[in-house]
Amino acid sequence: MFESLGRFVYRGRWTLLVLSVAAAVLVAPFGLELFGRMVDGGFEDPSAESTTSATWNEEWYSGNSPDVVVLYTHPTVSAKDKRYKKAVHDSLRRLPAAHVRQLTTYWTTRSTKMISRDSLSTYALITLKGDKQAAYAAIENRLRTVEGLSVKVGGAVPLLKDLNTQTGADLAKAEAISMPVLLVLLVLVFGSLVAAGLPLLVGLLAVLGALVLLRLLTEVTDVSVFSLNVVTMLGLGLAIDYSLFVLSAFREEIRRGASREQAVVATMATAGRTVAFSGLTVATALLGLLLFPQMFLRSIGLGAAAVVLVAMFSALIVLPAVLGILGPRVDALRITPSFGGPRGGGAWHAVASSVMRTPVLYLVGVTAVLVSLALPFVDVKFGNVDHRVLPSRVESRQVAEAVDTDFARNSMAPIDVHVLVERDLVDAEPLLPGPLGQGHTVVSPVTPVLPADVKPFTDRLRRLPGVTGVDVTGFSQANGSVRLAVRYEGDPMSASARSVVTLIRSMAPEPNIRDVVVGGPTAAQMDLMDSLTATLPWMALVVCGATFVLLFAAFGSLLLPLKALLMNVLSIGASFGVIVWAFQYGNLAAFLGFTPTGTIEATVTVLILAVVFGLSMDYELFLLSRVRAEWLRTGDNTTAVAVGLQKTGGIITSAALLLLVVIGAFSTAGITIVKLLGVGMFVAIVVDATLVRALLVPATMRLMGEANWWLPRSLRGLHRRIELREPESDPDPAGLPAPALVPAPTPPALAAPPARAAALPSGQARPIEGRRAVRPNLDGPGWQWTEDDGRPSALRTDPGPAPAPVFGMDTDPIPAPVPLPPPPPVVPAVSGPVGTAAVVRKRGINPYPSAIRESAPPEAVPDEEAPRAAEGDGAVIGWVKVRPRTRVVKASADGAGWTWAETD
């Protein structure tokens, strides 16, 4: 599959590149339209009781859900002074009626709650018409022109505008910080300006893709204003990560002497396969957010999953097309030596050796560290998102804080109680018939709703513990509803406030009351937690199940996916513990520049769970892919784990460092939610790339031994059907090079064995000439000469030793040199075309023994048509399964090395 994709990309490289650039240029203006189309909020459950209450506030009680709050202050004059009133009302009268639905001030309501405690400040509430962002833009300047008074503007609409402005500024700042640092690091990794620029190019395409995808989503659903930075951060970081792996694999192929097409094909079959599985795993985790009803989670989940796929597409299509054009010139403009490639020794060799020697010590020690990091999460307290997510210098936040601290406590955040009253019908006067003799439909009027209808219920509310007052704040005669504002002491997220909501909801209604609906910030937070708690297990089941299937398809093991999920739990726990320590406790408040609230926003926690789950799986996939390749080559679990860790250590560390730069740059954002997500991702990557991937995973796999690769016989057929692997190649596939000759000790002269001349009865297969082959001893370690005619033992006249098991499929890599005891020292061939050869395994169990049978001829060849082996064949040291015939590695005729040959 991936080899075919590589050939397709190479052959259409110019077309794909031109189409990609043209698409980017054409959609860029469309993506920039995103700013101003995003919405605030989206943290509520649409089916919750508190959401119904908020909807009724908007639709039933006009003017009681203000869009703009204008705060007026004078240093000496009381707000009750007539001059104060004249200045405020004169300013408000100048507002155009086309944009303003209703105005509310202290002088129109005589509510003392709208006068500050020092009597020097008051505020006006404004409800807008039509497009509220456009309406606010039309009146903003006029709101600030008040003679003699200091004016600040806040409220929901200005707050959203400030969030949009801050988001755009944060994005520009993050890119300005990260891009130069990334360029320097990429130059250090690759040593070449051309190679260093390619991941940045793919990253910019991913950012543009993020803008376009979010803009498209605004056409069908609301998109949270917080999604831009989150989606862009993921897209940029993962695009650079994926590009790094693809680019490194391509450069290695070029250094081995492969042509441009061969390098692209081989890169796609190795690094491309791993990138594809990684992208699908991360996208699966993010799509789990679609199970939640909250718009904030759904829009970010859908946008983030889409941009991960864009990053994957760019790394698997656009980047290989560019590499196919550049070829060896990818290393042009070299500045420094390359520090990012795999190395045969050094620090990672020492780490691998140490972990293999004492796996229990590392397992216990690293687990203890991760559990210690996770302990603060036991004390987590969840809260909601409010104005404090913005920097303290932002005016809309200053207005919200002034109203909360200088005026009546919780005057803008009461517990809303909607009481639906039973009403009586009254007799209607008879109506005259219509002009055609048809009577009019009689609409029976009902009694109006009065404060007296809810007085008994109001008195009961006042007697509840923690309630400081109850006011009637609105009537809806059309719906028979009375709205009550229940006042309380303390923070809306406090335990006392939640207790009041619980008591109100448990109260039995009066006989004349149809229903009671409770809302407000406290009730909304409680409903949010109930919604998240109910949905989270389903998300975990779906995401873990889908991830298990992907890992099963990738590695053909039942235990490795379970181990990977367990490792993720430890990484996520450590990340959450650090988040509580940093944000809830406020230990990083001064360093990161935010206001601690004593809580962690619940929906952001779920978002971090999905993102960190995907990212924690990312590097483990790269490690396990290399370990699996070594396992297929050697059949030795300990060697496979050690070599896999050693060979991936440098490149994975480089990728993690680059992603940390991106996340660190976005963590400088002014919005606390983005800081919180950035810190969570930062910790998860550091933990995963060091403690988990470098120490815990290798130690666990060392202890599990060959059980890592255990697969029941009943599931082997299923795995072969769902595994993403290359199709069987033709005996001489086009575009594949002849294997390079490897200098080797001259093999011993082999005397041509006599042909087995015994005639067979008519109709039976005639034997072919024998050949000598090197095979493992049956009684222990070592190798011996045996005779083999290249055909199944059932077709031999004198069956010799049973053929040794041939491991793996056509995707198995060519083995690296394996020292063999005498007779003669044999050096296997160097890496040939990916997916074209397999060798006899020295140790381990072949999970696919049926591959041996599949490589044999389907039936006996008639005596007169039986082919003969070529005379002078050298020693067979490996087998390659193809459709009708088998390719083998044989000693070259001149004794200078080894070469490919074909046999029946």
Side-chain angles (χ1 to χ4, degrees):
M1 175 180 176
F2 290 99
E3 282 191 358
S4 301
L5 178 60
R7 293 189 185 95
F8 169 78
V9 170
Y10 178 78
R11 291 166 185 170
R13 56 194 182 279
W14 283 108
T15 302
L16 291 173
L17 183 59
V18 170
L19 289 177
S20 299
V21 172
V25 172
L26 290 175
V27 302
F30 179 75
L32 295 177
E33 295 177 3
L34 174 66
F35 299 95
R37 298 181 65 94
M38 296 176 289
V39 299
D40 189 15
F43 300 94
E44 68 282 347
D45 181 353
S47 62
E49 181 180 345
S50 57
T51 306
T52 301
S53 170
T55 302
W56 290 356
N57 282 340
E58 180 72 22
E59 298 177 355
W60 292 5
Y61 310 98
S62 178
N64 287 280
S65 297
D67 300 308
V68 181
V69 178
V70 187
L71 179 65
Y72 305 98
T73 304
H74 194 280
T76 57
V77 178
S78 170
K80 298 180 181 179
D81 192 287
K82 292 182 179 180
R83 294 171 297 173
Y84 213 120
K85 173 184 177 181
K86 183 178 184 303
V88 171
H89 280 194
D90 286 347
S91 172
L92 296 177
R93 287 191 188 99
R94 292 195 295 267
L95 300 180
H99 300 298
V100 177
R101 175 178 298 172
Q102 187 166 350
L103 299 169
T104 304
T105 67
Y106 159 71
W107 298 279
T108 61
T109 62
R110 292 298 172 182
S111 172
T112 57
K113 295 182 177 63
M114 299 184 72
I115 298 290
S116 64
R117 293 187 179 92
D118 60 6
S119 299
L120 300 178
S121 300
T122 185
Y123 58 84
L125 306 178
I126 302 174
T127 305
L128 301 174
K129 289 182 181 178
D131 185 342
K132 296 186 177 182
Q133 290 289 340
Y136 175 66
I139 67 172
E140 181 179 5
N141 293 333
R142 301 187 186 190
L143 291 175
R144 302 181 186 278
T145 57
V146 182
E147 184 179 357
L149 297 178
S150 172
V151 179
K152 291 184 178 180
V153 181
V157 175
L159 183 67
L160 177 58
K161 179 185 176 184
D162 289 339
L163 283 171
N164 275 310
T165 302
Q166 188 65 47
T167 298
D170 290 342
L171 178 60
K173 178 182 178 182
E175 291 179 346
I177 293 174
S178 62
M179 287 301 180
V181 179
L182 288 173
L183 181 59
V184 172
L185 291 177
L186 286 168
V187 169
L188 291 177
V189 170
F190 293 119
S192 161
L193 280 178
V194 174
L198 292 179
L200 295 181
L201 173 64
V202 176
L204 290 176
L205 287 177
V207 171
L208 179 59
L211 295 177
V212 173
L213 289 171
L214 290 176
R215 174 62 181 86
L216 288 173
L217 287 178
T218 61
E219 297 293 334
V220 295
T221 184
D222 289 336
V223 174
S224 172
V225 68
F226 302 108
S227 63
L228 178 60
N229 280 341
V230 175
V231 171
T232 304
M233 175 169 54
L234 277 175
L236 178 61
L238 289 178
I240 292 176
D241 251 20
Y242 294 160
S243 301
L244 185 66
F245 287 103
V246 172
L247 183 55
S248 298
F250 179 82
R251 294 169 77 236
E252 288 299 317
E253 295 296 330
I254 290 293
R255 288 170 183 168
R256 290 180 183 141
S259 67
R260 290 180 298 172
E261 179 176 4
Q262 295 158 6
V264 170
V265 171
T267 297
M268 294 296 291
T270 54
R273 180 181 185 273
T274 305
V275 166
F277 271 105
S278 174
L280 291 175
T281 303
V282 177
T284 297
L286 293 168
L287 286 175
L289 295 174
L290 296 180
L291 298 174
F292 292 90
Q294 287 77 17
M295 179 272 291
F296 169 79
L297 292 176
R298 292 172 65 88
S299 64
I300 292 183
L302 189 58
V307 80
V308 169
L309 297 180
V310 169
M312 185 181 75
F313 172 85
S314 301
L316 295 182
I317 301 296
V318 180
L319 181 58
V322 176
L323 294 176
I325 295 172
L326 291 176
R329 290 173 295 176
V330 72
D331 285 326
L333 302 180
R334 177 164 294 279
I335 298 178
T336 65
S338 174
F339 295 99
R343 286 171 168 75
W348 288 109
H349 174 76
V351 170
S353 301
S354 178
V355 173
M356 294 303 102
R357 285 195 303 269
T358 56
V360 175
L361 177 63
Y362 281 100
L363 176 64
V364 174
V366 173
T367 302
V369 171
L370 295 178
V371 171
S372 300
L373 290 174
L375 283 179
F377 189 66
V378 176
D379 189 38
V380 66
K381 293 180 177 61
F382 294 108
N384 66 344
V385 173
D386 58 21
H387 53 271
R388 288 173 290 184
V389 300
L390 283 168
S392 57
R393 66 179 182 277
V394 177
E395 187 179 70
S396 57
R397 171 179 171 171
Q398 295 172 355
V399 171
E401 290 179 335
V403 171
D404 188 50
T405 58
D406 299 341
F407 293 77
R409 183 67 170 165
N410 299 316
S411 61
M412 298 288 289
I415 299 174
D416 293 325
V417 181
H418 302 268
V419 183
L420 302 181
V421 180
E422 293 281 4
R423 295 186 289 178
D424 297 327
L425 299 177
V426 297
D427 294 334
E429 296 181 1
L431 300 176
L432 298 176
L436 299 179
Q438 298 176 352
H440 295 288
T441 301
V442 178
V443 179
S444 300
V446 293
T447 55
V449 177
L450 301 173
D453 295 328
V454 296
K455 186 176 185 307
F457 186 76
T458 302
D459 293 338
R460 291 170 59 194
L461 288 176
R462 289 193 176 99
R463 292 193 294 268
L464 291 177
V467 175
T468 59
V470 180
D471 301 319
V472 177
T473 57
F475 294 93
S476 176
Q477 298 295 343
N479 298 283
S481 174
V482 180
R483 188 179 67 176
L484 306 176
V486 178
R487 312 290 178 182
Y488 54 92
E489 287 293 337
D491 188 86
M493 299 300 109
S494 64
S496 60
R498 294 197 300 270
S499 176
V500 171
V501 171
T502 302
L503 290 174
I504 295 174
R505 287 179 168 175
S506 64
M507 291 175 59
E510 301 294 330
N512 67 325
I513 294 176
R514 290 182 289 133
D515 196 9
V516 175
V517 175
V518 181
T522 307
Q525 179 62 24
M526 296 172 64
D527 292 342
L528 172 64
M529 293 304 304
D530 291 341
S531 174
L532 297 179
T533 303
T535 310
L536 193 58
W538 291 104
M539 175 200 172
L541 180 63
V542 171
V543 171
C544 290
T547 303
F548 183 92
V549 171
L550 285 171
L551 295 181
F552 171 74
F555 303 118
S557 167
L558 289 182
L559 297 183
L560 281 182
L562 294 177
K563 179 200 66 65
L565 293 174
L566 180 60
M567 298 295 102
N568 267 14
V569 171
L570 293 175
S571 295
I572 292 170
S575 179
F576 280 175
V578 173
I579 286 172
V580 171
W581 177 83
F583 287 87
Q584 181 176 311
Y585 298 164
N587 288 305
L588 292 184
F591 178 72
L592 294 177
F594 66 89
T595 302
T597 62
T599 61
I600 301 296
E601 210 289 315
T603 52
V604 179
T605 306
V606 174
L607 175 61
I608 293 174
L609 173 65
V611 173
V612 169
F613 183 92
L615 292 180
S616 296
M617 195 67 71
D618 191 28
Y619 295 134
E620 186 161 352
L621 269 169
F622 287 107
L623 171 62
L624 292 181
S625 295
R626 188 55 190 251
V627 172
R628 179 176 184 264
E630 294 296 327
W631 160 255
L632 295 178
R633 184 179 72 84
T634 65
D636 188 311
N637 179 76
T638 301
T639 300
V641 174
V643 173
L645 175 59
Q646 176 182 332
K647 292 189 175 181
T648 60
I651 190 66
I652 291 182
T653 302
S654 299
L657 181 60
L658 294 173
L659 186 55
L660 288 175
V661 169
V662 175
I663 294 173
F666 276 88
S667 297
T668 62
I671 299 176
T672 304
I673 286 180
V674 180
K675 292 179 186 289
L676 194 150
L677 178 63
V679 170
M681 293 171 60
F682 194 97
V683 173
I685 292 172
V686 170
V687 168
D688 188 67
T690 55
L691 297 178
V692 175
R693 187 261 305 170
L695 303 177
L696 189 58
V697 170
T700 306
M701 295 186 70
R702 168 70 173 85
L703 293 174
M704 291 171 64
E706 293 192 1
N708 286 304
W709 316 103
W710 175 72
L711 184 63
R713 185 179 299 272
S714 59
L715 294 178
R716 293 172 188 169
L718 172 63
H719 179 247
R720 279 196 291 269
R721 286 193 295 271
I722 67 174
E723 180 187 17
L724 291 180
R725 59 188 177 93
E726 306 306 321
E728 293 183 357
S729 305
D730 293 331
D732 186 18
L736 295 180
L741 296 180
V742 181
T746 302
L750 300 180
R756 299 187 180 94
L760 296 176
S762 177
Q764 294 190 18
R766 177 158 53 89
I768 66 176
E769 294 179 349
R771 292 175 300 183
R772 302 189 68 196
V774 177
R775 299 200 181 277
N777 286 324
L778 300 178
D779 58 352
W783 303 79
Q784 63 179 347
W785 289 111
T786 61
E787 291 205 359
D788 179 21
D789 59 10
R791 304 180 66 188
S793 59
L795 300 181
R796 299 176 186 163
T797 55
D798 181 19
V806 179
F807 178 78
M809 298 294 192
D810 51 280
T811 54
D812 295 339
I814 301 300
V818 179
L820 304 178
V826 179
V827 180
V830 297
S831 179
V834 175
T836 61
V839 296
V840 176
R841 291 182 59 187
K842 185 176 179 181
R843 293 181 293 277
I845 301 172
N846 181 4
Y848 302 115
S850 60
I852 304 169
R853 298 191 296 273
E854 292 172 359
S855 64
E859 57 187 41
V861 180
D863 181 59
E864 62 274 12
E865 298 176 6
R868 295 181 177 272
E871 294 184 3
D873 285 345
V876 180
I877 67 165
W879 294 89
V880 181
K881 182 172 71 66
V882 296
R883 284 197 184 96
R885 306 169 73 184
T886 303
R887 300 184 72 196
V888 296
V889 180
K890 297 187 177 183
S892 59
D894 57 2
W898 306 86
T899 185
W900 290 110
E902 294 180 0
T903 180
D904 293 320

